[in-house]
Amino acid sequence: MRRELAYAFGLCCLLRAGALTPAKAQSDGAGSSCADLRGQLEEAQQYVHRNNFPRAIQVLRLAFDACPRSSAAGVELTKAYVAAREFREAERTAKKVLEIDADSEAAQFLLAYSYFMQERFAETGNLLRPFLARHPENAGAHKLMGLTLFFYKEYVAAERELSIAHQKDPNDREAFYYLGRVYYTQNNFPPAVQVFSRLIALDPDDYKASDNLALCYEAMGRNREAEAIFKKAQESAKKKNAAYDWAYANLAELLIKQDRAPEAIPFASQALKIGPQSARNNYLLGKALAAKGEPEASVPYFQQAIQLDSNYPEPHYALGQAYQKLHENEKARREFELFEQAKQRLPTKQH
């Protein structure tokens, strides 16, 4: 789940958070050191538009150093750090802005987002609750709170926040997408299907929506449709994000469940080729090989999955089964013990 949430927000949404007009930027400051603030902010904005975030940061840092009482420069510098994924620096700068202007809506939101992207979810929620009480119209904050609650498996509350975010900003497709994810996680498949179908209608190459629609169909027992849409998601991902491995892994898992291991192997192999550091991808290829009757070939993939994520229970169990078939009973016994220990370390499901 963390892997998914790490890319929850579109960059464009952040860059417009607390956007400043040139007039506001020019007047926000003090003394001759701030005389060229407007020009510096406009110069930095040009670098941002070209995705040259290091240069934008350099310009904005100079502007903020020269005019340290300018919340305008501080907010823009915070946004540039966020865009560059330098979240510690974004946090530090947002806090500086709040020392200047404790009521800065943009700085408060960006600080919450910086916490979220550092996986400091408790701090995110603690900041967002009073923020939303003061700024109930902020769609991005409702979205961020919804994602934070989603992480904590507080699905009813997450659904509420994401629904509010979607109502306040119907054009935010990511908020709508994560609302669909909440429905799916709650096993509430009909509204999830509606969400993902609508997203695909808006963009036929929305690979994440297609992948999740296929997951819904699989959960509803509509396996033939699921298989076709997983393949559609793969084709869309080739066009828009070649690093997206989920549609291959998800189809491999579906085929393994249907006792179609030989057909699953190419999809599991492709998932692993795209995401070699994924414990799940290693596990799935090992599982497909084991189900095909090749336990010896499966062992290195299970071992790699465990090395990548020692708290992932299933590879331990699968490796134990492979060792049993290879008549290495002591190794098998040890893996079954590790499987039970890993299960006990899993977070308790919250309702």
Side-chain angles (χ1 to χ4, degrees), residues 18-335:
L20 296 162
T21 64
K24 171 70 181 294
Q26 189 176 34
S27 64
D28 189 290
S32 59
S33 63
C34 299
D36 194 35
L37 181 60
R38 174 178 178 171
Q40 289 172 302
L41 295 189
E42 288 178 347
E43 180 187 359
Q45 193 70 347
Q46 293 302 313
Y47 288 121
V48 167
H49 288 322
R50 296 198 292 268
N51 293 326
N52 188 347
F53 302 121
R55 186 72 181 108
I57 287 169
Q58 185 179 25
V59 171
L60 290 165
R61 193 159 46 202
L62 289 171
F64 196 33
D65 287 346
C67 192
R69 299 300 300 171
S70 169
S71 61
V75 165
E76 295 305 312
L77 178 57
T78 304
K79 288 193 288 185
Y81 278 131
V82 164
R85 304 186 66 78
E86 295 185 29
F87 300 115
R88 289 282 186 184
E89 289 300 315
E91 174 192 346
R92 184 181 64 81
T93 309
K95 287 177 177 177
K96 279 189 175 181
V97 175
L98 291 171
E99 290 174 6
I100 302 164
D101 179 6
D103 295 325
S104 171
E105 183 175 352
Q108 290 171 7
F109 175 79
L110 290 164
L111 178 58
Y113 182 81
S114 299
Y115 286 150
F116 178 83
M117 294 302 286
Q118 294 175 70
E119 300 186 357
R120 291 158 61 182
F121 300 110
E123 290 167 276
T124 307
N126 290 338
L127 184 57
L128 284 174
R129 288 184 189 94
F131 178 89
L132 281 167
R134 294 190 302 273
H135 305 287
E137 296 305 311
N138 191 308
H142 284 289
K143 174 181 171 180
L144 188 56
M145 178 60 93
L147 292 170
T148 302
L149 292 164
F150 185 24
F151 173 80
Y152 278 117
K153 300 184 176 66
E154 298 288 347
Y155 299 126
V156 174
E159 179 185 338
R160 181 186 66 247
E161 293 295 332
L162 290 167
S163 296
I164 294 170
H166 178 60
Q167 290 165 10
K168 294 186 180 301
D169 186 1
N171 294 322
D172 186 343
R173 293 178 56 188
E174 285 180 322
F176 196 43
Y177 166 80
Y178 279 100
L179 180 59
R181 287 289 300 153
V182 169
Y183 288 139
Y184 170 79
T185 306
Q186 292 176 302
N187 297 327
N188 193 2
F189 302 119
V193 166
Q194 288 182 351
V195 168
F196 297 130
S197 297
R198 277 185 59 190
L199 289 168
I200 293 166
L202 291 168
D203 177 6
D205 282 326
D206 187 331
Y207 54 92
K208 290 201 299 182
S210 292
D211 190 22
N212 280 272
L213 179 60
L215 287 170
C216 291
Y217 283 150
E218 178 185 353
M220 298 165 75
R222 296 163 62 176
N223 290 334
R224 185 169 297 179
E225 292 168 277
E227 183 176 342
I229 296 174
F230 279 135
K231 290 177 179 176
K232 178 183 183 300
Q234 293 166 11
E235 292 304 312
S236 295
K238 287 177 186 177
K239 300 176 189 177
K240 299 184 78 171
N241 182 6
Y244 188 80
D245 56 356
W246 292 85
Y248 296 96
N250 288 336
L251 178 53
E253 187 163 34
L254 171 63
L255 294 171
I256 292 167
K257 290 175 184 174
Q258 294 180 315
D259 296 323
R260 296 163 61 187
E263 295 173 69
I265 289 173
F267 296 108
S269 298
Q270 183 62 23
L272 186 59
K273 181 179 178 181
I274 296 170
Q277 297 305 306
S278 164
R280 183 190 182 216
N281 291 347
N282 280 277
Y283 165 67
L284 286 173
L285 182 53
K287 193 171 182 182
L289 289 166
K292 188 172 177 277
E294 299 180 20
E296 189 170 1
S298 74
V299 167
Y301 296 103
F302 294 139
Q303 290 173 332
Q304 180 66 7
I306 292 165
Q307 184 174 341
L308 290 166
D309 185 355
S310 61
N311 291 320
Y312 187 8
E314 285 79 2
H316 286 291
Y317 190 83
L319 181 57
Q321 289 181 315
Y323 281 142
Q324 277 187 330
K325 290 177 182 177
L326 295 169
H327 307 293
E328 298 187 53
N329 293 328
E330 184 57 31
K331 289 184 178 179
R333 183 189 64 78
R334 177 59 180 157
E335 291 303 325

